[in-house]
Short mmCIF file of all heavy atoms in Angstrom, two decimals:
data_model
loop_
_atom_site.label_atom_id
_atom_site.label_comp_id
_atom_site.label_asym_id
_atom_site.label_seq_id
_atom_site.Cartn_x
_atom_site.Cartn_y
_atom_site.Cartn_z
N VAL X 50 -5.50 10.79 -13.34
CA VAL X 50 -4.06 10.56 -13.36
C VAL X 50 -3.74 9.86 -14.69
O VAL X 50 -4.21 8.74 -14.91
CB VAL X 50 -3.62 9.68 -12.18
CG1 VAL X 50 -2.13 9.39 -12.23
CG2 VAL X 50 -4.00 10.35 -10.85
N ALA X 51 -3.00 10.54 -15.56
CA ALA X 51 -2.82 10.05 -16.93
C ALA X 51 -2.28 8.62 -17.00
O ALA X 51 -2.74 7.81 -17.79
CB ALA X 51 -1.91 11.00 -17.70
N SER X 52 -1.31 8.29 -16.14
CA SER X 52 -0.68 6.98 -16.25
C SER X 52 -1.47 5.88 -15.54
O SER X 52 -1.10 4.71 -15.60
CB SER X 52 0.74 7.06 -15.66
OG SER X 52 0.69 7.64 -14.37
N MET X 53 -2.58 6.25 -14.86
CA MET X 53 -3.38 5.26 -14.14
C MET X 53 -4.86 5.41 -14.49
O MET X 53 -5.63 5.98 -13.72
CB MET X 53 -3.16 5.42 -12.62
CG MET X 53 -1.72 5.23 -12.21
SD MET X 53 -1.44 5.62 -10.47
CE MET X 53 -2.26 4.25 -9.67
N PRO X 54 -5.27 4.87 -15.65
CA PRO X 54 -6.66 5.03 -16.07
C PRO X 54 -7.62 4.55 -14.98
O PRO X 54 -7.42 3.48 -14.41
CB PRO X 54 -6.78 4.12 -17.30
CG PRO X 54 -5.38 3.88 -17.76
CD PRO X 54 -4.48 4.04 -16.56
N GLY X 55 -8.63 5.37 -14.67
CA GLY X 55 -9.60 4.99 -13.62
C GLY X 55 -9.24 5.55 -12.26
O GLY X 55 -10.02 5.44 -11.31
N VAL X 56 -8.04 6.15 -12.12
CA VAL X 56 -7.63 6.73 -10.84
C VAL X 56 -7.61 8.25 -10.99
O VAL X 56 -7.12 8.77 -11.99
CB VAL X 56 -6.24 6.22 -10.41
CG1 VAL X 56 -5.77 6.91 -9.14
CG2 VAL X 56 -6.27 4.71 -10.23
N ASP X 57 -8.17 8.95 -9.98
CA ASP X 57 -8.21 10.41 -10.00
C ASP X 57 -7.54 10.99 -8.76
O ASP X 57 -7.54 10.36 -7.71
CB ASP X 57 -9.67 10.91 -9.94
CG ASP X 57 -10.48 10.53 -11.17
OD1 ASP X 57 -9.89 10.47 -12.27
OD2 ASP X 57 -11.69 10.29 -11.03
N GLN X 58 -7.02 12.20 -8.91
CA GLN X 58 -6.76 13.02 -7.72
C GLN X 58 -8.11 13.65 -7.37
O GLN X 58 -8.80 14.14 -8.26
CB GLN X 58 -5.75 14.13 -8.03
CG GLN X 58 -4.36 13.60 -8.36
CD GLN X 58 -3.40 14.73 -8.72
OE1 GLN X 58 -3.79 15.88 -8.93
NE2 GLN X 58 -2.12 14.40 -8.80
N LEU X 59 -8.46 13.63 -6.08
CA LEU X 59 -9.82 14.03 -5.69
C LEU X 59 -9.80 15.27 -4.81
O LEU X 59 -8.88 15.46 -4.00
CB LEU X 59 -10.47 12.90 -4.89
CG LEU X 59 -10.66 11.59 -5.64
CD1 LEU X 59 -10.95 10.46 -4.64
CD2 LEU X 59 -11.79 11.71 -6.64
N PRO X 60 -10.84 16.12 -4.92
CA PRO X 60 -10.98 17.20 -3.95
C PRO X 60 -11.44 16.62 -2.61
O PRO X 60 -12.10 15.57 -2.59
CB PRO X 60 -12.08 18.08 -4.55
CG PRO X 60 -12.87 17.17 -5.42
CD PRO X 60 -11.94 16.09 -5.91
N VAL X 61 -11.10 17.29 -1.52
CA VAL X 61 -11.50 16.78 -0.20
C VAL X 61 -13.02 16.69 -0.09
O VAL X 61 -13.56 15.82 0.60
CB VAL X 61 -10.89 17.67 0.91
CG1 VAL X 61 -11.38 17.24 2.28
CG2 VAL X 61 -9.36 17.62 0.85
N SER X 62 -13.71 17.54 -0.87
CA SER X 62 -15.19 17.53 -0.82
C SER X 62 -15.78 16.22 -1.35
O SER X 62 -16.95 15.92 -1.14
CB SER X 62 -15.74 18.71 -1.63
OG SER X 62 -15.30 18.60 -2.97
N ALA X 63 -14.96 15.39 -2.03
CA ALA X 63 -15.45 14.11 -2.56
C ALA X 63 -15.32 12.98 -1.53
O ALA X 63 -15.75 11.85 -1.79
CB ALA X 63 -14.69 13.74 -3.83
N ALA X 64 -14.72 13.28 -0.38
CA ALA X 64 -14.37 12.20 0.56
C ALA X 64 -15.59 11.44 1.07
O ALA X 64 -15.59 10.20 1.13
CB ALA X 64 -13.57 12.77 1.74
N ALA X 65 -16.65 12.17 1.43
CA ALA X 65 -17.82 11.50 2.02
C ALA X 65 -18.43 10.51 1.02
O ALA X 65 -18.73 9.36 1.37
CB ALA X 65 -18.86 12.54 2.45
N GLU X 66 -18.57 10.95 -0.23
CA GLU X 66 -19.16 10.08 -1.25
C GLU X 66 -18.25 8.87 -1.52
O GLU X 66 -18.72 7.73 -1.68
CB GLU X 66 -19.39 10.89 -2.54
CG GLU X 66 -20.03 10.13 -3.69
CD GLU X 66 -21.31 9.36 -3.30
OE1 GLU X 66 -22.02 9.80 -2.37
OE2 GLU X 66 -21.57 8.31 -3.94
N GLN X 67 -16.94 9.09 -1.53
CA GLN X 67 -16.01 7.97 -1.70
C GLN X 67 -16.16 6.95 -0.58
O GLN X 67 -16.10 5.74 -0.79
CB GLN X 67 -14.56 8.50 -1.71
CG GLN X 67 -14.17 9.25 -2.98
CD GLN X 67 -14.01 8.33 -4.18
OE1 GLN X 67 -13.63 7.17 -4.04
NE2 GLN X 67 -14.31 8.85 -5.35
N ALA X 68 -16.36 7.45 0.64
CA ALA X 68 -16.52 6.56 1.79
C ALA X 68 -17.78 5.72 1.64
O ALA X 68 -17.78 4.51 1.88
CB ALA X 68 -16.56 7.37 3.08
N ARG X 69 -18.88 6.39 1.24
CA ARG X 69 -20.15 5.65 1.08
C ARG X 69 -20.01 4.59 0.01
O ARG X 69 -20.47 3.45 0.16
CB ARG X 69 -21.29 6.63 0.75
CG ARG X 69 -21.77 7.41 1.99
CD ARG X 69 -23.05 8.19 1.72
NE ARG X 69 -22.79 9.38 0.91
CZ ARG X 69 -22.53 10.59 1.41
NH1 ARG X 69 -22.50 10.78 2.73
NH2 ARG X 69 -22.30 11.61 0.62
N GLN X 70 -19.33 4.92 -1.11
CA GLN X 70 -19.14 3.93 -2.18
C GLN X 70 -18.30 2.75 -1.72
O GLN X 70 -18.64 1.60 -1.98
CB GLN X 70 -18.44 4.58 -3.37
CG GLN X 70 -19.37 5.32 -4.31
CD GLN X 70 -18.60 5.96 -5.46
OE1 GLN X 70 -17.59 5.42 -5.91
NE2 GLN X 70 -19.05 7.12 -5.90
N ALA X 71 -17.19 3.04 -1.04
CA ALA X 71 -16.30 1.96 -0.57
C ALA X 71 -17.06 1.04 0.39
O ALA X 71 -16.92 -0.19 0.34
CB ALA X 71 -15.06 2.55 0.11
N ALA X 72 -17.87 1.65 1.26
CA ALA X 72 -18.64 0.84 2.22
C ALA X 72 -19.68 0.00 1.49
O ALA X 72 -19.86 -1.19 1.78
CB ALA X 72 -19.32 1.76 3.24
N LYS X 73 -20.32 0.59 0.49
CA LYS X 73 -21.36 -0.12 -0.26
C LYS X 73 -20.76 -1.31 -1.02
O LYS X 73 -21.38 -2.36 -1.15
CB LYS X 73 -22.02 0.87 -1.23
CG LYS X 73 -23.27 0.36 -1.85
CD LYS X 73 -24.11 1.52 -2.44
CE LYS X 73 -24.96 1.01 -3.57
NZ LYS X 73 -24.67 1.67 -4.85
N LEU X 74 -19.54 -1.13 -1.51
CA LEU X 74 -18.87 -2.22 -2.24
C LEU X 74 -18.32 -3.28 -1.28
O LEU X 74 -17.83 -4.32 -1.72
CB LEU X 74 -17.72 -1.67 -3.09
CG LEU X 74 -18.12 -0.82 -4.31
CD1 LEU X 74 -16.89 -0.16 -4.92
CD2 LEU X 74 -18.84 -1.68 -5.35
N GLY X 75 -18.37 -3.02 0.01
CA GLY X 75 -17.89 -3.99 0.99
C GLY X 75 -16.37 -4.11 1.05
O GLY X 75 -15.83 -5.14 1.46
N LEU X 76 -15.67 -3.03 0.67
CA LEU X 76 -14.21 -3.09 0.68
C LEU X 76 -13.68 -3.24 2.10
O LEU X 76 -14.32 -2.80 3.07
CB LEU X 76 -13.62 -1.82 0.05
CG LEU X 76 -13.98 -1.55 -1.43
CD1 LEU X 76 -13.22 -0.34 -1.94
CD2 LEU X 76 -13.68 -2.78 -2.29
N GLY X 77 -12.48 -3.82 2.21
CA GLY X 77 -11.84 -3.98 3.51
C GLY X 77 -11.46 -2.65 4.12
O GLY X 77 -11.35 -2.52 5.34
N GLY X 78 -11.25 -1.64 3.28
CA GLY X 78 -10.88 -0.32 3.78
C GLY X 78 -10.36 0.55 2.66
O GLY X 78 -10.40 0.18 1.48
N VAL X 79 -9.90 1.74 3.06
CA VAL X 79 -9.27 2.67 2.12
C VAL X 79 -7.96 3.14 2.77
O VAL X 79 -7.83 3.11 3.99
CB VAL X 79 -10.17 3.90 1.83
CG1 VAL X 79 -11.42 3.49 1.06
CG2 VAL X 79 -10.56 4.61 3.13
N ILE X 80 -7.01 3.56 1.92
CA ILE X 80 -5.79 4.18 2.45
C ILE X 80 -5.62 5.52 1.75
O ILE X 80 -5.74 5.61 0.53
CB ILE X 80 -4.54 3.28 2.30
CG1 ILE X 80 -3.30 3.98 2.87
CG2 ILE X 80 -4.30 2.86 0.84
CD1 ILE X 80 -2.11 3.05 3.09
N LEU X 81 -5.40 6.56 2.54
CA LEU X 81 -5.40 7.92 2.00
C LEU X 81 -4.01 8.51 1.86
O LEU X 81 -3.16 8.37 2.74
CB LEU X 81 -6.21 8.85 2.91
CG LEU X 81 -7.62 8.42 3.30
CD1 LEU X 81 -8.37 9.60 3.90
CD2 LEU X 81 -8.38 7.85 2.13
N PHE X 82 -3.82 9.21 0.73
CA PHE X 82 -2.62 9.99 0.45
C PHE X 82 -3.04 11.43 0.26
O PHE X 82 -4.16 11.69 -0.19
CB PHE X 82 -1.93 9.49 -0.83
CG PHE X 82 -1.44 8.07 -0.74
CD1 PHE X 82 -2.28 7.01 -1.03
CD2 PHE X 82 -0.13 7.80 -0.34
CE1 PHE X 82 -1.83 5.69 -0.93
CE2 PHE X 82 0.33 6.49 -0.23
CZ PHE X 82 -0.52 5.44 -0.53
N GLY X 83 -2.16 12.38 0.57
CA GLY X 83 -2.54 13.79 0.48
C GLY X 83 -1.63 14.59 -0.42
O GLY X 83 -0.43 14.35 -0.50
N LEU X 84 -2.24 15.55 -1.12
CA LEU X 84 -1.47 16.52 -1.90
C LEU X 84 -1.77 17.90 -1.33
O LEU X 84 -2.89 18.40 -1.47
CB LEU X 84 -1.86 16.48 -3.38
CG LEU X 84 -1.46 15.23 -4.16
CD1 LEU X 84 -2.46 14.12 -3.99
CD2 LEU X 84 -1.29 15.56 -5.63
N PRO X 85 -0.78 18.52 -0.66
CA PRO X 85 -1.03 19.79 0.03
C PRO X 85 -0.90 20.97 -0.93
O PRO X 85 -0.32 20.84 -2.01
CB PRO X 85 0.11 19.83 1.04
CG PRO X 85 1.23 19.14 0.33
CD PRO X 85 0.60 18.06 -0.51
N LYS X 86 -1.41 22.12 -0.51
CA LYS X 86 -1.26 23.37 -1.27
C LYS X 86 0.20 23.79 -1.32
O LYS X 86 0.72 24.15 -2.34
CB LYS X 86 -2.05 24.49 -0.57
CG LYS X 86 -3.48 24.63 -1.00
CD LYS X 86 -4.03 26.00 -0.55
CE LYS X 86 -5.54 25.94 -0.43
NZ LYS X 86 -6.03 25.56 0.90
N VAL X 87 0.83 23.73 -0.15
CA VAL X 87 2.19 24.26 -0.04
C VAL X 87 3.13 23.17 0.46
O VAL X 87 2.81 22.45 1.41
CB VAL X 87 2.22 25.44 0.97
CG1 VAL X 87 3.60 26.07 1.01
CG2 VAL X 87 1.17 26.48 0.60
N LYS X 88 4.28 23.05 -0.20
CA LYS X 88 5.30 22.09 0.24
C LYS X 88 6.50 22.86 0.78
O LYS X 88 6.73 24.01 0.38
CB LYS X 88 5.75 21.24 -0.95
CG LYS X 88 4.61 20.51 -1.65
CD LYS X 88 5.12 19.51 -2.67
CE LYS X 88 3.94 18.83 -3.38
NZ LYS X 88 4.28 17.50 -3.89
N ASP X 89 7.26 22.23 1.68
CA ASP X 89 8.49 22.86 2.14
C ASP X 89 9.57 21.79 2.28
O ASP X 89 9.34 20.62 2.00
CB ASP X 89 8.27 23.65 3.45
CG ASP X 89 7.89 22.73 4.61
OD1 ASP X 89 8.10 21.49 4.52
OD2 ASP X 89 7.37 23.24 5.62
N ALA X 90 10.76 22.19 2.74
CA ALA X 90 11.88 21.26 2.79
C ALA X 90 11.66 20.17 3.84
O ALA X 90 12.22 19.09 3.74
CB ALA X 90 13.17 22.03 3.08
N ARG X 91 10.84 20.45 4.87
CA ARG X 91 10.69 19.51 5.98
C ARG X 91 9.37 18.73 5.94
O ARG X 91 9.11 17.90 6.81
CB ARG X 91 10.78 20.27 7.30
CG ARG X 91 12.10 21.03 7.46
CD ARG X 91 12.09 21.88 8.72
NE ARG X 91 11.89 21.08 9.92
CZ ARG X 91 12.86 20.48 10.60
NH1 ARG X 91 14.09 20.60 10.20
NH2 ARG X 91 12.58 19.77 11.67
N GLY X 92 8.50 19.04 4.99
CA GLY X 92 7.23 18.32 4.90
C GLY X 92 6.28 18.62 6.05
O GLY X 92 5.47 17.77 6.43
N GLU X 93 6.36 19.83 6.58
CA GLU X 93 5.53 20.18 7.75
C GLU X 93 4.03 20.08 7.46
O GLU X 93 3.23 19.84 8.38
CB GLU X 93 5.86 21.58 8.26
CG GLU X 93 7.11 21.63 9.15
CD GLU X 93 6.96 20.83 10.46
OE1 GLU X 93 5.84 20.72 10.99
OE2 GLU X 93 7.98 20.30 10.92
N ALA X 94 3.64 20.25 6.19
CA ALA X 94 2.21 20.18 5.86
C ALA X 94 1.63 18.80 6.20
O ALA X 94 0.41 18.66 6.38
CB ALA X 94 1.98 20.49 4.38
N ALA X 95 2.50 17.79 6.33
CA ALA X 95 2.02 16.44 6.70
C ALA X 95 1.44 16.42 8.12
O ALA X 95 0.72 15.49 8.49
CB ALA X 95 3.17 15.43 6.60
N CYS X 96 1.79 17.43 8.94
CA CYS X 96 1.34 17.46 10.34
C CYS X 96 0.18 18.42 10.56
O CYS X 96 -0.31 18.56 11.68
CB CYS X 96 2.50 17.90 11.24
SG CYS X 96 4.00 16.96 10.94
N ASP X 97 -0.26 19.08 9.48
CA ASP X 97 -1.31 20.09 9.61
C ASP X 97 -2.67 19.41 9.85
O ASP X 97 -3.14 18.65 9.01
CB ASP X 97 -1.35 20.90 8.29
CG ASP X 97 -2.41 21.98 8.30
OD1 ASP X 97 -3.16 22.09 9.30
OD2 ASP X 97 -2.50 22.70 7.29
#
Side-chain angles (χ1 to χ4, degrees):
V50 178
S52 51
M53 300 173 71
V56 175
D57 294 327
Q58 294 177 349
L59 297 164
V61 175
S62 59
E66 181 51 28
Q67 288 288 329
R69 283 190 286 268
Q70 276 179 33
K73 192 162 153 241
L74 291 171
L76 299 185
V79 293
I80 180 165
L81 308 194
F82 297 86
L84 290 84
K86 270 196 204 91
V87 184
K88 304 189 182 206
D89 65 17
R91 302 174 59 87
E93 279 296 329
C96 309
D97 180 358

